[in-house]
Amino acid sequence: FEEEEEVSEEVDARMFGKLFHTVMETLYQPFLNKTIEESMLKSLIDNKQIIENVLNEAFSIHFFRADGSRKNPTIEGRNRLVFEVIKKMVLQTLRVDMKRLPFKIVGLEQKVSATVGIFQGTKAVRIGGIVDRIDSVSGDIEIIDYKTGTTDHTFNSLSDLFDQQAKKRNKAAFQTLVYGFIWDKMYSG
Protein backbone atom coordinates (compact mmCIF):
# COMPACT_ATOMS: atom_id res chain seq x y z
CA PHE A 1 0.00 0.00 0.00
CA GLU A 2 1.20 3.47 -0.76
CA GLU A 3 0.26 6.59 1.17
CA GLU A 4 -1.74 9.26 -0.59
CA GLU A 5 0.33 12.23 -1.62
CA GLU A 6 -0.61 15.59 -0.18
CA VAL A 7 -0.04 18.87 -1.95
CA SER A 8 2.21 21.22 -0.01
CA GLU A 9 3.82 24.57 -0.67
CA GLU A 10 7.02 23.44 1.03
CA VAL A 11 9.08 20.31 0.66
CA ASP A 12 8.29 17.84 3.45
CA ALA A 13 10.48 14.92 4.56
CA ARG A 14 8.90 12.47 2.13
CA MET A 15 9.30 14.82 -0.84
CA PHE A 16 12.88 15.56 0.24
CA GLY A 17 13.69 11.84 0.00
CA LYS A 18 11.94 11.49 -3.34
CA LEU A 19 13.91 14.43 -4.78
CA PHE A 20 17.23 13.07 -3.50
CA HIS A 21 16.52 9.55 -4.81
CA THR A 22 15.50 10.90 -8.22
CA VAL A 23 18.68 12.96 -8.54
CA MET A 24 20.91 10.03 -7.58
CA GLU A 25 19.11 7.66 -9.96
CA THR A 26 19.31 10.16 -12.83
CA LEU A 27 23.00 10.91 -12.26
CA TYR A 28 23.93 7.22 -12.07
CA GLN A 29 21.63 5.93 -14.85
CA PRO A 30 24.25 6.47 -17.61
CA PHE A 31 26.70 4.35 -15.57
CA LEU A 32 24.35 1.38 -15.08
CA ASN A 33 26.18 -1.92 -15.69
CA LYS A 34 29.50 -0.11 -16.02
CA THR A 35 32.49 -0.15 -13.74
CA ILE A 36 32.65 3.25 -12.06
CA GLU A 37 36.04 4.91 -12.24
CA GLU A 38 37.37 8.03 -10.58
CA SER A 39 37.05 10.17 -13.73
CA MET A 40 33.31 9.43 -13.95
CA LEU A 41 32.55 10.60 -10.43
CA LYS A 42 35.01 13.47 -10.62
CA SER A 43 33.23 14.81 -13.71
CA LEU A 44 29.96 14.92 -11.76
CA ILE A 45 31.52 16.48 -8.66
CA ASP A 46 33.40 19.12 -10.68
CA ASN A 47 30.37 20.09 -12.79
CA LYS A 48 27.82 21.22 -10.22
CA GLN A 49 25.66 22.59 -13.04
CA ILE A 50 24.76 19.01 -14.04
CA ILE A 51 23.61 18.32 -10.48
CA GLU A 52 21.62 21.57 -10.38
CA ASN A 53 19.96 20.79 -13.74
CA VAL A 54 18.95 17.31 -12.59
CA LEU A 55 17.70 18.70 -9.27
CA ASN A 56 15.67 21.40 -11.05
CA GLU A 57 14.12 18.69 -13.24
CA ALA A 58 13.32 16.58 -10.16
CA PHE A 59 11.59 19.58 -8.55
CA SER A 60 9.62 20.17 -11.76
CA ILE A 61 8.47 16.56 -11.99
CA HIS A 62 7.82 15.73 -8.35
CA PHE A 63 7.24 18.97 -6.47
CA PHE A 64 5.71 21.26 -9.07
CA ARG A 65 4.16 18.33 -10.98
CA ALA A 66 5.25 19.81 -14.27
CA ASP A 67 3.10 18.65 -17.14
CA GLY A 68 4.97 20.63 -19.73
CA SER A 69 3.13 23.87 -19.05
CA ARG A 70 5.17 24.74 -15.96
CA LYS A 71 8.72 23.97 -17.00
CA ASN A 72 11.54 25.59 -15.03
CA PRO A 73 9.48 26.97 -12.13
CA THR A 74 11.26 29.21 -9.66
CA ILE A 75 12.47 27.52 -6.49
CA GLU A 76 12.41 30.09 -3.72
CA GLY A 77 12.17 30.58 0.03
CA ARG A 78 12.64 27.51 2.19
CA ASN A 79 12.50 25.31 -0.88
CA ARG A 80 15.66 27.04 -2.14
CA LEU A 81 17.35 25.99 1.10
CA VAL A 82 16.10 22.43 0.56
CA PHE A 83 17.52 22.58 -2.99
CA GLU A 84 20.95 23.52 -1.62
CA VAL A 85 20.83 20.85 1.11
CA ILE A 86 19.97 18.14 -1.41
CA LYS A 87 22.76 19.35 -3.69
CA LYS A 88 25.21 19.09 -0.77
CA MET A 89 23.97 15.59 0.07
CA VAL A 90 24.37 14.48 -3.55
CA LEU A 91 27.93 15.82 -3.62
CA GLN A 92 28.68 14.09 -0.31
CA THR A 93 27.31 10.80 -1.65
CA LEU A 94 29.50 11.11 -4.74
CA ARG A 95 32.54 11.82 -2.54
CA VAL A 96 31.81 8.77 -0.37
CA ASP A 97 31.46 6.69 -3.53
CA MET A 98 34.88 7.97 -4.67
CA LYS A 99 36.35 6.17 -1.65
CA ARG A 100 34.67 2.89 -2.69
CA LEU A 101 36.13 2.72 -6.21
CA PRO A 102 36.06 0.68 -8.31
CA PHE A 103 32.51 -0.67 -8.26
CA LYS A 104 29.88 -1.57 -10.82
CA ILE A 105 26.28 -0.39 -10.52
CA VAL A 106 24.05 -3.36 -11.36
CA GLY A 107 20.70 -1.91 -10.28
CA LEU A 108 19.00 1.43 -9.63
CA GLU A 109 15.62 1.83 -7.91
CA GLN A 110 15.06 -1.86 -8.60
CA LYS A 111 11.91 -3.65 -7.48
CA VAL A 112 12.69 -6.88 -5.66
CA SER A 113 10.44 -9.52 -4.15
CA ALA A 114 10.58 -13.07 -2.88
CA THR A 115 8.18 -15.62 -1.47
CA VAL A 116 8.99 -16.76 2.05
CA GLY A 117 7.53 -19.82 3.72
CA ILE A 118 6.03 -19.34 7.18
CA PHE A 119 4.40 -21.67 9.72
CA GLN A 120 6.83 -24.51 8.90
CA GLY A 121 6.20 -24.00 5.19
CA THR A 122 2.42 -24.41 5.34
CA LYS A 123 1.86 -20.81 4.25
CA ALA A 124 3.79 -18.33 2.17
CA VAL A 125 4.05 -14.55 2.06
CA ARG A 126 5.58 -12.31 -0.56
CA ILE A 127 7.94 -9.62 0.69
CA GLY A 128 9.58 -6.94 -1.37
CA GLY A 129 10.47 -3.36 -1.91
CA ILE A 130 12.52 -1.03 -4.03
CA VAL A 131 16.30 -1.14 -3.59
CA ASP A 132 17.87 2.26 -4.18
CA ARG A 133 21.10 0.91 -5.64
CA ILE A 134 22.83 -2.43 -6.09
CA ASP A 135 26.58 -2.41 -6.58
CA SER A 136 29.03 -5.14 -7.41
CA VAL A 137 32.34 -4.72 -5.59
CA SER A 138 35.05 -7.29 -6.31
CA GLY A 139 32.32 -9.75 -7.30
CA ASP A 140 30.28 -9.21 -4.11
CA ILE A 141 26.85 -7.59 -4.16
CA GLU A 142 26.29 -4.54 -1.96
CA ILE A 143 22.80 -3.21 -1.28
CA ILE A 144 22.76 0.59 -0.98
CA ASP A 145 19.75 2.15 0.74
CA TYR A 146 19.89 5.94 0.85
CA LYS A 147 18.57 7.51 4.04
CA THR A 148 17.75 11.21 3.99
CA GLY A 149 16.20 11.44 7.44
CA THR A 150 17.64 10.90 10.87
CA THR A 151 18.71 7.31 11.29
CA ASP A 152 20.93 5.32 13.60
CA HIS A 153 23.90 3.68 11.91
CA THR A 154 24.69 1.22 14.69
CA PHE A 155 23.30 -1.94 16.25
CA ASN A 156 24.84 -4.28 18.80
CA SER A 157 23.90 -7.62 17.32
CA LEU A 158 21.91 -9.19 14.51
CA SER A 159 19.28 -10.36 16.99
CA ASP A 160 18.72 -6.72 18.04
CA LEU A 161 17.33 -6.03 14.55
CA PHE A 162 14.53 -8.54 15.20
CA ASP A 163 13.68 -7.44 18.75
CA GLN A 164 10.21 -5.91 18.42
CA GLN A 165 10.30 -4.69 22.03
CA ALA A 166 13.46 -2.64 21.50
CA LYS A 167 12.72 1.08 21.54
CA LYS A 168 15.62 1.98 19.28
CA ARG A 169 15.57 -0.90 16.83
CA ASN A 170 17.63 0.01 13.76
CA LYS A 171 14.92 -0.11 11.10
CA ALA A 172 17.27 1.09 8.35
CA ALA A 173 19.70 -1.78 8.97
CA PHE A 174 16.78 -4.23 9.18
CA GLN A 175 15.40 -2.99 5.84
CA THR A 176 18.78 -3.39 4.16
CA LEU A 177 19.15 -6.87 5.65
CA VAL A 178 15.72 -7.84 4.28
CA TYR A 179 16.66 -6.47 0.84
CA GLY A 180 19.85 -8.53 0.94
CA PHE A 181 17.83 -11.63 1.87
CA ILE A 182 15.40 -11.00 -1.00
CA TRP A 183 18.24 -10.41 -3.47
CA ASP A 184 19.86 -13.68 -2.38
CA LYS A 185 16.57 -15.56 -2.85
CA MET A 186 16.09 -14.02 -6.29
CA TYR A 187 19.59 -14.69 -7.62
CA SER A 188 21.07 -17.61 -5.70
CA GLY A 189 19.48 -20.14 -8.01
Side-chain angles (χ1 to χ4, degrees):
F1 296 103
E2 292 184 17
E3 294 178 37
E4 288 185 31
E5 291 190 32
E6 295 179 24
V7 178
S8 173
E9 291 184 21
E10 293 183 357
V11 173
D12 61 10
R14 188 170 184 194
M15 179 59 66
F16 186 99
K18 184 180 270 192
L19 292 168
F20 176 81
H21 281 76
T22 299
V23 172
M24 292 308 302
E25 179 184 14
T26 304
L27 290 175
Y28 274 141
Q29 190 65 46
F31 305 132
L32 186 61
N33 295 315
K34 295 180 181 171
T35 300
I36 307 301
E37 298 172 2
E38 183 176 350
S39 61
M40 297 166 151
L41 295 182
K42 193 163 173 23
S43 70
L44 292 174
I45 292 169
D46 290 345
N47 189 346
K48 291 172 186 58
Q49 189 62 50
I50 292 172
I51 296 168
E52 289 184 8
N53 291 345
V54 171
L55 188 49
N56 274 317
E57 183 68 20
F59 260 90
S60 291
I61 293 168
H62 296 298
F63 186 71
F64 294 109
R65 304 221 187 272
D67 57 4
S69 61
R70 246 191 117 181
K71 279 286 190 195
N72 302 321
T74 304
I75 302 168
E76 49 195 19
R78 288 185 182 175
N79 291 336
R80 189 69 203 171
L81 293 174
V82 168
F83 181 97
E84 293 301 324
V85 169
I86 293 173
K87 185 171 83 172
K88 275 187 142 175
M89 287 179 66
V90 167
L91 286 166
Q92 183 62 27
T93 301
L94 295 169
R95 287 184 189 110
V96 167
D97 284 345
M98 285 276 278
K99 296 174 184 173
R100 301 177 56 246
L101 295 172
F103 62 91
K104 181 178 181 180
I105 298 174
V106 296
L108 290 168
E109 298 296 327
Q110 186 168 334
K111 288 183 181 181
V112 296
S113 67
T115 302
V116 179
I118 57 173
F119 303 119
Q120 287 87 34
T122 61
K123 302 277 184 196
V125 294
R126 178 170 289 291
I127 58 173
I130 299 174
V131 177
D132 298 337
R133 197 171 96 207
I134 301 126
D135 292 351
S136 175
V137 181
S138 301
D140 294 328
I141 293 295
E142 292 186 2
I143 304 293
I144 310 292
D145 191 56
Y146 302 126
K147 293 297 178 200
T148 55
T150 304
T151 187
D152 187 12
H153 299 294
T154 62
F155 57 95
N156 294 324
S157 69
L158 194 56
S159 62
D160 284 353
L161 297 179
F162 295 89
D163 182 0
Q164 293 178 342
Q165 310 316 344
K167 288 184 180 182
K168 290 190 174 185
R169 185 167 65 147
N170 190 323
K171 294 175 185 171
F174 180 78
Q175 179 183 12
T176 306
L177 179 69
V178 169
Y179 285 161
F181 171 78
I182 294 169
W183 183 269
D184 187 58
K185 286 200 60 95
M186 288 174 64
Y187 294 101
S188 66

